[in-house]
Amino acid sequence: MLATFAGAYAYRTLFARPGEAALQLIPSDAILVVSVDISPSPTQALAFKHIDDALARNGQERFMEQALMSGLGKDKLMEEIVPLVKRGGALCIEPKEGKNTGNTAVGLIALSDGAKALESLKKYTRPSYFRGAKYYTAPGSTLNLMVVDDYLVVSDSPQELLKIKEVRQGLMKSITSIPEFNTARDEVASDANMLVFASSNMWKELVKDTVDASPNWVALGVALRDGGIGISLAGKTDFEKFPALKAVANTPGVRNDLFKVLPAGSYGMFAVSDPSAMYQASVNSVSSKGDAKKNIKEAENSLDKSIGLSVTGDIVPALSGDSVIALYPSSASTAGVDGLIVIDDQNGASPSSAIQKFKEFMDNQVAKEHNGEMPFRTKSIEGGTEYQITEKMEEDMRKSIGNGMDPKDIDKDVLVSKKTVVVATIGKVVLASTSQELLDRAIVSYRETKNALSMDSNYSPYEKTLLDGSQMMAVFSVSRIAEGIQNTARLGHMEPEAAKLFTSVLTALQTLKEPLYLKGKSAQNGLSTSGIFIPMDYDKLIDIVGGQLKKK
């Protein structure tokens, strides 16, 4: 039993989250709330060990604690309080009361011993009073200080200090008594080290025109994890106030077999389900404002004349499926860059019809201006047609791309020599690329799901995480991009120190196993969520930054 109690105490002490606990002291009228917990949850212990070891190795053992207190000065009072500072705290923005308009900030810094901090305040400052509440002013500063439990409360307004105290005494409601606030918190990562909450009143101040459509609360969470930083975002919007978003919420997610129909070896991609719904939602949201509807119509008519396609009659229906823009190395040695576009026939889309109409329009335009010369070389392929720009157009394009490139600084050949524009239609699907070789691979992958991203070790372990019903997804292999840059760039003209730093950064990035990604989802209940992951090697990053700081 003794061992059990000791273990429970050690667990609570080691993984305490004083920053998030401070939310209970934040008044309910706050319009922006931030909590910070630079201490590990059970799943973050390894990541924090890497960070702490790297900071100690670079002489920055108490960097985090000192950063929290840096705005309060460096005097005897702070010398005594800084050792008591824990890795956590909170900040809120509240509207000023009375005749004065505007907002004011209140900070809560977690302490290991609030009573001891209070003794230091009594020793080095003189007390003041506001409506009977005692507070202290930092020497040589306009900031007012108060200790509430194990928190140092800081504000330029004594009135705000009193409100924190009254919340603690139960005389005022806390922000945590608001159901919508708690709902927003539940939608972001539970292990977040930083939480940011913005109320609808905050949005009303920032963007006056979105008062009716502003969400009740938006929550953002940032979590330090082994392997990188995870960011989650959530907010709920009332569709009755902003009906344009309802169409986006009804859009199906990006197809869950996407990695099976794209060729392996990608640097990364951006994929979106039904871009037409997002376009229509944007148009509907602004079409009632002033001359917006007229301007949109004029822009659509102008585009129709310039490319021969109607926005509403051709482009919007063509883009009701999934659209993907992906980047690939230009060669097997992972150097250079080529693009691949895939517009599929999900949700009844028929992008090949729009491509055929555009091709006919271009044929007519070029024929008029260049005595019957055709702009595309056309050939039949299995199940469709392939269009490629003429050799003369290829030559002109390559010259244009290569202008300004110095072969001493960059591998110009791999970037320019084989560039083209080639488009294939397979049934109703459209694939386009800047490389014939890449397009050929993409056609095989799409038809037969061979040598696809689902078999690429840089992406396959994260397939389910990314293709989870989100309507938008972007993912990039940082390690492969770093390798591509290293194989394409030439460092001969760089200063030795700059070249060394450049190489060390690229080498560090090449060790990152997890991809960088961003995904977003809108649900039919009005809830929108996003997830971001930024891969990071804390040891190497801190060592690189620490090495540069030591040179200064």
Side-chain angles (χ1 to χ4, degrees):
M1 185 178 296
L2 181 61
T4 300
F5 284 130
Y9 175 78
Y11 179 90
R12 291 179 62 188
T13 301
L14 181 61
F15 299 116
R17 312 287 276 184
E20 190 168 359
L23 297 179
Q24 299 176 50
L25 297 174
I26 301 295
S28 60
D29 63 348
I31 62 174
L32 180 70
V33 181
V34 180
S35 72
V36 178
D37 282 294
I38 315 177
S39 55
S41 68
T43 58
Q44 296 172 322
L46 185 58
F48 272 77
K49 185 178 187 309
H50 285 308
I51 294 172
D52 286 338
D53 290 348
L55 287 172
R57 195 165 55 243
N58 287 276
Q60 299 290 331
E61 292 89 339
R62 291 189 60 80
F63 167 78
M64 298 181 186
E65 292 86 342
Q66 291 170 353
L68 284 172
M69 300 295 295
S70 60
L72 301 181
K74 297 180 180 179
D75 51 30
K76 291 183 178 180
L77 172 62
M78 290 302 110
E79 286 179 4
E80 289 192 7
I81 290 182
V82 166
L84 303 176
V85 173
K86 298 173 72 174
R87 293 180 169 185
L91 172 75
C92 70
I93 304 296
E94 296 187 23
K96 287 183 178 179
E97 296 182 3
K99 296 181 180 180
N100 294 328
T101 58
N103 303 309
T104 187
V106 186
L108 294 88
I109 301 171
L111 304 169
S112 59
D113 191 334
K116 191 172 182 180
L118 182 58
E119 290 301 317
S120 297
L121 288 178
K122 292 177 179 179
K123 187 191 305 184
Y124 294 108
T125 66
R126 292 183 178 179
S128 299
Y129 294 88
F130 180 81
R131 296 179 187 171
K134 184 186 292 187
Y135 67 93
Y136 304 85
T137 302
S141 171
T142 59
L143 292 177
N144 304 302
L145 310 172
M146 178 185 286
V147 174
V148 177
D149 293 340
D150 284 334
Y151 293 96
L152 179 66
V153 186
V154 185
S155 177
D156 61 357
S157 169
Q159 186 174 10
E160 300 307 323
L161 300 181
L162 175 61
K163 288 171 70 174
I164 299 293
K165 187 174 182 179
E166 289 180 339
V167 172
R168 173 65 182 86
Q169 294 171 337
L171 302 176
M172 285 188 68
K173 287 187 176 181
S174 164
I175 197 80
T176 56
S177 68
I178 301 175
E180 292 82 4
F181 177 89
N182 294 321
T183 298
R185 170 63 186 96
D186 291 341
E187 293 297 334
V188 297
S190 59
D191 62 345
N193 301 99
M194 182 173 75
L195 293 166
V196 181
F197 303 89
S199 73
S200 58
N201 290 329
M202 185 72 181
W203 297 113
K204 290 174 184 177
E205 290 196 14
L206 292 175
V207 189
K208 303 297 183 183
D209 293 336
T210 63
V211 172
D212 292 336
S214 58
N216 293 323
W217 281 92
V218 171
L220 179 144
V222 181
L224 301 177
R225 296 171 183 154
D226 189 34
I229 298 175
I231 301 173
S232 49
L233 181 68
K236 193 170 184 179
T237 302
D238 187 345
F239 285 155
E240 291 185 3
K241 295 180 180 178
F242 199 10
L245 278 181
K246 192 170 185 178
V248 177
N250 289 326
T251 301
V254 173
R255 55 190 293 176
N256 59 17
D257 66 342
L258 180 64
F259 284 10
K260 295 180 176 62
V261 297
L262 293 177
S266 176
Y267 285 137
M269 76 187 76
F270 174 78
V272 60
S273 170
D274 198 351
S276 64
M278 298 183 183
Y279 170 78
Q280 199 61 53
S282 300
V283 170
N284 292 341
S285 66
V286 302
S287 60
S288 61
K289 298 173 183 176
D291 295 329
K293 190 173 183 178
K294 177 184 175 183
N295 294 336
I296 291 171
K297 189 62 178 177
E298 290 176 353
E300 290 179 347
N301 291 337
S302 175
L303 186 64
D304 188 353
K305 292 178 182 178
S306 62
I307 65 174
L309 295 177
S310 164
V311 172
T312 56
D314 298 313
I315 298 177
V316 169
L319 297 177
S320 61
D322 289 353
S323 296
V324 183
I325 299 174
L327 300 176
Y328 285 79
S330 296
S331 67
S333 62
T334 316
V337 60
D338 271 306
L340 172 68
I341 296 175
V342 178
I343 307 174
D344 71 18
D345 56 357
Q346 300 285 302
N347 312 321
S350 182
S352 61
S353 299
I355 288 295
Q356 179 61 32
K357 187 174 180 179
F358 172 71
K359 190 259 182 188
E360 293 171 358
F361 173 81
M362 290 300 297
D363 285 346
N364 293 331
Q365 291 296 108
V366 174
K368 291 177 183 177
E369 298 173 8
H370 298 279
N371 300 321
E373 179 183 348
M374 293 293 100
F376 300 103
R377 294 171 280 173
T378 304
K379 69 176 182 179
S380 296
I381 59 174
E382 182 182 347
T385 308
E386 189 173 289
Y387 310 101
Q388 187 171 12
I389 60 174
T390 64
E391 293 180 355
K392 176 65 168 62
M393 293 177 69
E394 281 180 343
E395 182 181 348
D396 292 342
M397 182 182 72
R398 290 167 185 171
K399 285 182 180 179
S400 176
I401 295 173
N403 283 341
M405 288 187 185
D406 189 339
K408 295 179 182 179
D409 295 328
I410 200 164
D411 191 335
K412 183 176 179 178
D413 183 66
V414 77
L415 284 170
V416 175
S417 64
K418 296 183 179 180
K419 287 289 183 290
T420 186
V421 175
V422 57
V423 181
T425 59
I426 303 174
K428 297 180 180 180
V429 177
V430 171
L431 298 93
S433 181
T434 58
S435 162
Q436 180 68 61
E437 183 270 339
L438 176 56
L439 182 71
D440 293 341
R441 286 169 49 208
I443 291 173
V444 171
S445 296
Y446 197 89
R447 283 175 175 162
E448 306 172 25
T449 64
K450 288 183 178 180
N451 299 320
L453 275 181
S454 57
M455 294 173 276
D456 187 328
S457 60
N458 286 40
Y459 295 97
S460 57
Y462 316 101
E463 188 172 358
K464 290 183 179 180
T465 300
L466 294 165
L467 303 173
D468 61 351
S470 295
Q471 291 110 338
M472 183 278 293
M473 181 270 293
V475 57
F476 298 92
S477 171
V478 177
S479 60
R480 188 169 285 161
I481 292 172
E483 183 183 4
I485 293 173
Q486 192 166 46
N487 291 338
T488 306
R490 292 171 175 166
L491 310 182
H493 283 180
M494 274 193 182
E495 293 291 332
E497 280 299 317
K500 184 179 179 181
L501 176 61
F502 183 74
T503 301
S504 65
V505 171
L506 290 179
T507 301
L509 293 177
Q510 288 179 52
T511 66
L512 299 176
K513 297 179 180 179
E514 298 186 53
L516 182 153
Y517 70 74
L518 182 152
K519 58 182 180 177
K521 182 191 301 185
S522 293
Q524 294 183 12
N525 64 355
L527 180 67
S528 296
T529 56
S530 300
I532 303 171
F533 185 77
I534 304 171
M536 193 168 297
D537 186 323
Y538 302 109
D539 286 281
K540 289 186 173 64
L541 176 64
I542 294 172
D543 284 344
I544 290 172
V545 174
Q548 293 302 305
L549 291 175
K550 290 176 183 177
K551 293 177 182 179
K552 293 183 177 181

